[in-house]
Amino acid sequence: MTAVATAPPRARRRFTGSVGLLALPIAAWLVFFFIVPFGLILWYSFGEKPSLYVTHSNDVLSLARYVEALDPAFLTTFWRTTQIAIVGTALCLLIGFPIAYWMAVKLSPRARGIVLALVLVPYWTNFLVRTIGWQITLSPEGFLSDFLNGIGVLNGPLQVLYTQQAVQLGVVYNYLPLMILPLYVALERMDHRLLEASRDLGGNWWSSFWRVTIPLALPGIMSGLLLVFVPLMGDYITPSVLGGASGSMVGQMVAGQFQRAQNWALGSAMAICLMLAILLVVILFGVLFKLIGVALARFRHLGDLDRAGAIS
């Protein structure tokens, strides 16, 4: 009896140990490629650039680099980066949600696999190569400029390249699949009979969308917003290829301090400021979606009370 009683805990311990061993590669990856680099950047940010030919020194620790990092030029570029990130994330949501809904609800299971593969096709190509493709497309001598002039839309070269609008277009194109995929997963798992039940109870398309579809898709929306916004804030390639001076972003300023100015302390302080700002936005996202979830639950409750009153 004792052996039988002690067997399940032993089995659970063996299972827990196996899971721990399987998690070791992930833990090592996080330690060596996230925690250690972050610790180095944080350490460098308290140092200084002692001379022209020395990248950094931590002999004297201070917060002076953070004060230097928050100068008007950095704040202007940071505000531009935030604008591009917010608008780009919103556009990805507005474009990606109908596509994900169409894939998950309207398409047959066989067609879903084909369309899903088409969504992932851009990621079979290098990020830099895809962005350079847009550089060629948007250039004044490119085929898009010739086409628009040919049909009479323009009377001169296309002047979009090396502007903030070009960067906006590039980030939406590059990060749109990261929005579509979590939305598709959330909508594909949704029980479609709930929409039929909503219509049977007298709900129209709009009320069914807000009371059934949006609450069930909320985890996918939250994941998509984070997957797009976080890497977009630190994007370096897209503004470097498409932005020029008028479309620069914070990632370029951080890279410039490490590569050209050789001021690792100031570049580290800028990077820490950027990461703290992203963390703050993520927390605000979490609070906002919590409030939205509460509001939607109350909205559904009020709708149920109205229907109950109508029936009585």
Side-chain angles (χ1 to χ4, degrees):
M1 181 68 68
T2 305
V4 174
T6 57
R10 291 176 181 175
R12 285 196 295 269
R13 284 196 295 269
R14 287 197 298 269
F15 177 76
T16 304
S18 301
V19 172
L21 289 175
L22 292 175
L24 280 178
I26 300 176
W29 176 274
L30 289 175
V31 169
F32 289 107
F33 294 100
F34 178 75
I35 296 177
V36 172
F38 176 79
L40 289 174
I41 292 297
L42 183 62
W43 172 249
Y44 289 159
S45 68
F46 295 118
E48 62 178 352
K49 181 177 174 60
S51 65
L52 181 63
Y53 301 103
V54 179
T55 58
H56 70 284
S57 173
N58 284 86
D59 294 337
V60 178
L61 302 181
S62 69
L63 297 174
R65 301 292 79 73
Y66 288 94
V67 177
E68 188 178 350
L70 297 176
D71 65 347
F74 178 83
L75 294 177
T76 301
T77 305
F78 179 80
W79 174 241
R80 185 189 303 120
T81 302
T82 306
Q83 284 182 309
I84 293 174
I86 292 176
V87 173
T89 304
L91 289 175
C92 284
L93 178 61
L94 292 176
I95 299 171
F97 194 94
I99 296 174
Y101 185 87
W102 173 67
M103 291 169 56
V105 178
K106 301 299 182 180
L107 289 181
S108 63
R110 184 176 181 180
R112 289 176 194 169
I114 298 174
V115 177
L116 189 61
L118 293 176
V119 171
L120 294 175
V121 161
Y123 279 83
W124 298 355
T125 308
N126 183 271
F127 192 98
L128 176 60
V129 173
R130 299 200 309 266
T131 309
I132 292 176
W134 275 106
Q135 184 186 47
I136 297 172
T137 302
L138 298 177
S139 66
E141 299 83 16
F143 68 89
L144 181 60
S145 179
D146 294 339
F147 173 75
L148 294 177
N149 278 277
I151 62 175
V153 176
L154 295 178
N155 293 321
L158 181 64
Q159 302 294 337
V160 176
L161 189 60
Y162 305 130
T163 64
Q164 184 172 331
Q165 289 72 28
V167 177
Q168 199 74 74
L169 177 62
V171 297
V172 171
Y173 169 78
N174 282 323
Y175 294 102
L176 182 59
L178 297 180
M179 179 66 73
I180 293 176
L181 292 179
L183 289 174
Y184 168 75
V185 171
L187 292 170
E188 196 270 337
R189 293 177 178 175
M190 181 179 64
D191 190 351
H192 299 161
R193 292 174 297 181
L194 295 174
L195 295 175
E196 298 176 1
S198 176
R199 288 192 290 267
D200 292 339
L201 293 173
N204 54 25
W205 179 88
W206 183 252
S207 62
S208 299
F209 178 77
W210 281 104
R211 293 178 178 177
V212 178
T213 304
I214 290 297
L216 294 176
L218 208 57
I221 295 174
M222 182 65 178
S223 300
L225 291 177
L226 292 179
L227 285 173
V228 172
F229 181 83
V230 172
L232 204 162
M233 280 289 291
D235 194 350
Y236 169 75
I237 293 178
T238 306
S240 298
V241 176
L242 300 177
S246 61
S248 61
M249 295 175 63
V250 173
Q252 292 171 281
M253 293 191 68
V254 175
Q257 293 299 326
F258 280 93
Q259 296 173 354
R260 293 189 297 273
Q262 292 291 300
N263 191 341
W264 290 13
L266 181 56
S268 299
M270 289 180 176
I272 294 296
C273 291
L274 177 61
M275 286 188 279
L276 290 176
I278 293 174
L279 179 61
L280 177 62
V281 173
V282 170
I283 294 174
L284 292 177
F285 267 142
V287 174
L288 177 62
F289 272 84
K290 184 67 175 179
L291 295 176
I292 291 175
V294 172
L296 288 175
R298 185 174 181 180
F299 180 67
R300 291 198 305 271
H301 179 67
L302 292 176
D304 294 339
L305 293 177
D306 291 341
R307 285 195 296 270
I311 294 173
S312 62

